[in-house]
Amino acid sequence: MAPLQVLSVFVASFIFMQTLGNSQTCPDCFTRSRAAHYPNSEEKGTETGSCGFGTFGATINGGDVSAASELYRNGLGCGACYQVRCTDGNYCSDKGVTIVVTDQGAGDRTDFILSQRAFARMAQTTDAAASILPLGVVDIEYRRVSCTYPDKNITIKIEESSDNPHYLAFVIWYQQGKKDITAVQLCETQNFVCKLLDRTRGAVWTTTSPPRGPLQIRMLLSVDDEDETWVVPVNNIPENWKAGDTYDSGIQEDA
């Protein structure tokens, strides 16, 4: 092979490796994809989303919510926040919209199915929103961003299906930052015995025969299975917990 050909191959390989390395080490970079919106839906999200958030999942973040396909990650992606912006400069704003994943779903090569409210908020103006909504599906760019809930602590919502003291199911609300909840422990507060809970669906954690007395729920937060941190609430779940009630943990994780 001639020297110039060798040099050309080397340069091309170097550029390729640099591009590959940048794509793998740039968590703040945008990824290109497509997004749709819920057909025939109300302006905000659905109360029956796969994450198990219920009414909270339709109204959180002002209704700027979304179903996700691969980013759902078997429920691990529930509650994650993403900046999503469409790419048509005639209609779309540079800022786009920040959404919260509350459901699972896929459309025509889409990563997100947004609420109609969130879909419209990608536009520059109200008139521009009226133009992109009928399209149904648009090209987008997205990246993960920190969730922000001012004046809110991580909150435990006891599922209506719970039956004290035989069965406990709950979801976790208002987790800030960009970390995932990868594991949850339920601990007795008297003898400090803890056990790992099961993620049964979406963001719902369950256990049979929960311990008696006040309960402490510990959460393992991590980024890409690294930088793991156990978060210990200030407030415990009271002994007489009730199905449907919410309990403020007294803490917030901003990382």
Side-chain angles (χ1 to χ4, degrees):
M1 184 179 293
L4 283 178
Q5 289 178 307
V6 174
L7 179 61
S8 297
V9 171
F10 174 78
V11 171
S13 299
F14 178 78
I15 293 174
F16 173 77
M17 293 304 295
Q18 284 291 100
T19 302
L20 179 62
N22 288 341
S23 66
Q24 293 176 337
T25 60
C26 184
D28 293 327
C29 292
F30 283 92
T31 300
R32 293 185 178 182
S33 183
R34 284 156 55 88
H37 64 74
Y38 283 105
N40 304 318
S41 71
E42 296 182 0
E43 182 184 14
K44 298 182 180 180
T46 175
E47 297 183 3
T48 58
S50 299
C51 288
F53 289 136
T55 303
F56 176 80
T59 58
I60 187 177
N61 197 38
D64 291 337
V65 297
S66 179
S69 51
E70 292 185 5
L71 295 172
Y72 179 76
R73 294 179 291 153
N74 294 320
L76 186 62
C78 289
C81 294
Y82 292 88
Q83 180 186 1
V84 182
R85 61 188 188 188
C86 52
T87 57
D88 188 332
N90 294 318
Y91 302 105
C92 304
S93 70
D94 292 335
K95 182 179 179 181
V97 63
T98 298
I99 59 89
V100 180
V101 174
T102 61
D103 195 8
Q104 180 183 26
D108 179 14
R109 294 176 288 122
T110 63
D111 273 307
F112 299 98
I113 302 179
L114 306 173
S115 65
Q116 287 193 14
R117 170 187 163 90
F119 197 91
R121 281 168 57 82
M122 292 190 295
Q124 298 173 6
T125 64
T126 302
D127 290 342
S131 296
I132 67 170
L133 275 169
L135 298 177
V137 181
V138 294
D139 293 328
I140 63 161
E141 297 175 330
Y142 73 87
R143 64 181 176 182
R144 188 163 182 183
V145 295
S146 292
C147 298
T148 303
Y149 304 110
D151 303 320
K152 295 290 186 181
N153 290 324
I154 293 176
T155 300
I156 308 300
K157 163 67 187 308
I158 307 297
E159 287 279 274
E160 282 75 3
S161 61
S162 298
D163 179 21
N164 193 354
H166 307 292
Y167 176 74
L168 174 62
F170 61 87
V171 293
I172 299 171
W173 292 357
Y174 298 124
Q175 180 213 345
Q176 296 193 154
K178 292 197 292 185
K179 292 185 178 180
D180 297 319
I181 300 176
T182 55
V184 172
Q185 285 184 335
L186 182 66
C187 303
E188 300 178 45
T189 57
Q190 297 177 348
N191 56 18
F192 301 105
V193 173
C194 300
K195 67 174 181 178
L196 287 170
L197 302 188
D198 297 320
R199 184 196 298 271
T200 53
R201 62 182 178 89
V204 181
W205 301 86
T206 63
T207 183
T208 56
S209 302
R212 296 183 181 275
L215 303 174
Q216 184 181 84
I217 295 175
R218 300 182 179 183
M219 295 151 281
L220 180 63
L221 305 184
S222 66
V223 178
D224 296 330
D225 295 326
E226 298 179 356
D227 188 23
E228 295 183 333
T229 304
W230 279 103
V231 175
V232 181
V234 174
N235 301 327
N236 295 322
I237 306 298
E239 180 177 5
N240 60 341
W241 56 263
K242 296 179 181 179
D245 283 357
T246 58
Y247 299 98
D248 187 327
S249 69
I251 60 167
Q252 183 53 269
E253 175 65 28
D254 296 326

